[in-house]
Coordinates of all heavy atoms in Angstrom, one line a residue:
G1 N 13.2 -0.3 -0.6 CA 14.0 -0.6 0.5 C 15.0 -1.8 0.3 O 15.0 -2.4 -0.8
E2 N 15.9 -2.0 1.3 CA 16.9 -3.0 1.1 C 16.3 -4.4 0.8 O 17.0 -5.2 0.2 CB 17.8 -3.1 2.4 CG 18.7 -1.8 2.4 CD 19.6 -1.9 3.6 OE1 20.0 -3.0 4.1 OE2 20.0 -0.8 4.1
K3 N 15.1 -4.7 1.4 CA 14.5 -6.0 1.1 C 13.6 -6.0 -0.1 O 12.9 -7.0 -0.3 CB 13.7 -6.3 2.4 CG 14.5 -6.6 3.6 CD 13.6 -7.0 4.8 CE 14.4 -7.2 6.0 NZ 13.5 -7.6 7.2
G4 N 13.7 -4.9 -0.9 CA 12.9 -4.9 -2.1 C 11.5 -4.5 -1.9 O 10.6 -4.5 -2.8
Q5 N 11.2 -4.0 -0.7 CA 9.8 -3.5 -0.4 C 9.6 -2.1 -0.8 O 10.5 -1.2 -0.7 CB 9.6 -3.7 1.1 CG 9.7 -5.1 1.6 CD 9.7 -5.2 3.1 OE1 10.2 -4.4 3.8 NE2 9.0 -6.2 3.6
I6 N 8.3 -1.8 -1.2 CA 7.9 -0.4 -1.4 C 6.7 -0.1 -0.6 O 6.0 -1.0 -0.2 CB 7.6 -0.1 -2.9 CG1 6.5 -1.0 -3.4 CG2 8.8 -0.3 -3.8 CD1 5.9 -0.6 -4.8
V7 N 6.4 1.1 -0.3 CA 5.3 1.6 0.4 C 4.3 2.2 -0.6 O 4.6 3.2 -1.4 CB 5.6 2.6 1.5 CG1 4.4 3.1 2.2 CG2 6.5 1.9 2.6
I8 N 3.1 1.7 -0.7 CA 2.1 2.3 -1.6 C 1.6 3.5 -0.9 O 1.2 3.5 0.3 CB 0.9 1.3 -1.8 CG1 1.4 0.0 -2.5 CG2 -0.1 2.0 -2.7 CD1 0.4 -1.1 -2.5
P9 N 1.7 4.7 -1.6 CA 1.2 6.0 -0.9 C -0.2 5.9 -0.3 O -1.0 5.2 -0.9 CB 1.4 7.0 -2.0 CG 2.4 6.4 -2.9 CD 2.2 4.9 -2.9
K10 N -0.4 6.6 0.8 CA -1.6 6.6 1.5 C -2.8 6.9 0.6 O -3.8 6.2 0.6 CB -1.6 7.6 2.7 CG -2.9 7.6 3.5 CD -2.8 8.6 4.6 CE -4.1 8.7 5.3 NZ -4.1 9.8 6.3
E11 N -2.7 7.9 -0.2 CA -3.8 8.3 -1.1 C -4.2 7.2 -2.1 O -5.3 7.0 -2.4 CB -3.4 9.6 -1.9 CG -3.2 10.8 -1.0 CD -1.8 11.0 -0.4 OE1 -1.1 10.1 -0.5 OE2 -1.5 12.0 0.1
M12 N -3.2 6.4 -2.5 CA -3.5 5.3 -3.5 C -4.1 4.2 -2.7 O -5.0 3.6 -3.2 CB -2.2 5.0 -4.2 CG -1.7 5.9 -5.1 SD -0.2 5.4 -6.0 CE 0.1 6.9 -7.0
R13 N -3.7 3.9 -1.5 CA -4.2 2.9 -0.7 C -5.7 3.2 -0.4 O -6.6 2.3 -0.6 CB -3.5 2.6 0.6 CG -2.1 2.1 0.5 CD -1.5 1.7 1.7 NE -1.6 2.5 2.9 CZ -0.8 3.5 3.2 NH1 0.4 3.6 2.6 NH2 -1.0 4.2 4.3
E14 N -6.0 4.4 -0.1 CA -7.4 4.9 0.1 C -8.2 4.8 -1.2 O -9.3 4.3 -1.1 CB -7.4 6.3 0.7 CG -6.8 6.3 2.1 CD -6.7 7.8 2.6 OE1 -6.8 8.8 1.8 OE2 -6.5 7.9 3.8
M15 N -7.7 5.2 -2.3 CA -8.3 5.2 -3.5 C -8.9 3.8 -3.9 O -9.9 3.6 -4.4 CB -7.4 5.7 -4.7 CG -8.2 5.7 -6.0 SD -7.0 6.2 -7.4 CE -7.2 8.0 -7.2
F16 N -8.0 2.8 -3.6 CA -8.3 1.4 -4.0 C -8.8 0.5 -2.8 O -9.0 -0.7 -2.9 CB -7.1 0.8 -4.7 CG -6.9 1.3 -6.0 CD1 -5.9 2.3 -6.3 CD2 -7.7 1.0 -7.1 CE1 -5.7 2.9 -7.5 CE2 -7.6 1.6 -8.4 CZ -6.6 2.5 -8.6
G17 N -8.9 1.1 -1.6 CA -9.4 0.4 -0.5 C -8.4 -0.7 0.0 O -8.8 -1.7 0.5
I18 N -7.1 -0.4 -0.2 CA -6.0 -1.4 0.3 C -5.8 -1.2 1.7 O -5.5 -0.1 2.1 CB -4.8 -1.2 -0.6 CG1 -5.1 -1.5 -2.1 CG2 -3.7 -2.2 -0.1 CD1 -3.9 -1.1 -3.0
R19 N -6.0 -2.3 2.5 CA -5.8 -2.2 4.0 C -4.7 -3.2 4.4 O -4.4 -4.1 3.7 CB -7.1 -2.6 4.6 CG -8.3 -1.8 4.2 CD -9.4 -1.8 5.2 NE -10.5 -1.0 4.8 CZ -10.6 0.3 4.7 NH1 -9.6 1.0 5.0 NH2 -11.8 0.9 4.3
P20 N -4.1 -3.0 5.5 CA -3.1 -3.9 6.0 C -3.6 -5.3 6.1 O -4.7 -5.6 6.5 CB -2.8 -3.4 7.5 CG -3.1 -1.9 7.5 CD -4.3 -1.9 6.5
G21 N -2.8 -6.3 5.6 CA -3.1 -7.6 5.6 C -3.8 -8.1 4.2 O -3.9 -9.2 4.0
D22 N -4.2 -7.1 3.4 CA -4.7 -7.4 2.1 C -3.6 -8.1 1.3 O -2.5 -7.8 1.4 CB -5.3 -6.2 1.3 CG -6.6 -5.6 1.9 OD1 -7.2 -6.3 2.7 OD2 -7.0 -4.6 1.4
T23 N -4.1 -8.9 0.3 CA -3.2 -9.6 -0.7 C -3.5 -8.8 -2.0 O -4.6 -8.6 -2.4 CB -3.6 -11.1 -0.8 OG1 -3.3 -11.7 0.4 CG2 -2.7 -11.7 -1.9
I24 N -2.4 -8.5 -2.6 CA -2.5 -7.8 -3.9 C -1.7 -8.6 -4.9 O -0.9 -9.5 -4.6 CB -1.9 -6.3 -3.9 CG1 -0.5 -6.3 -3.5 CG2 -2.8 -5.5 -2.9 CD1 0.2 -4.9 -3.6

């Protein structure tokens, strides 16, 4: 995106247990 942000696809977030507010 314009601010340099990307969205991690849902399937990948689920695979690694990444939830809103997590730090990566």
Side-chain angles (χ1 to χ4, degrees):
E2 289 184 27
K3 295 181 180 181
Q5 298 170 322
I6 62 167
V7 174
I8 300 169
K10 179 182 177 186
E11 293 87 348
M12 291 181 181
R13 293 192 314 266
E14 289 174 348
M15 178 184 277
F16 290 101
I18 299 171
R19 304 202 184 286
D22 284 353
T23 298
I24 59 172

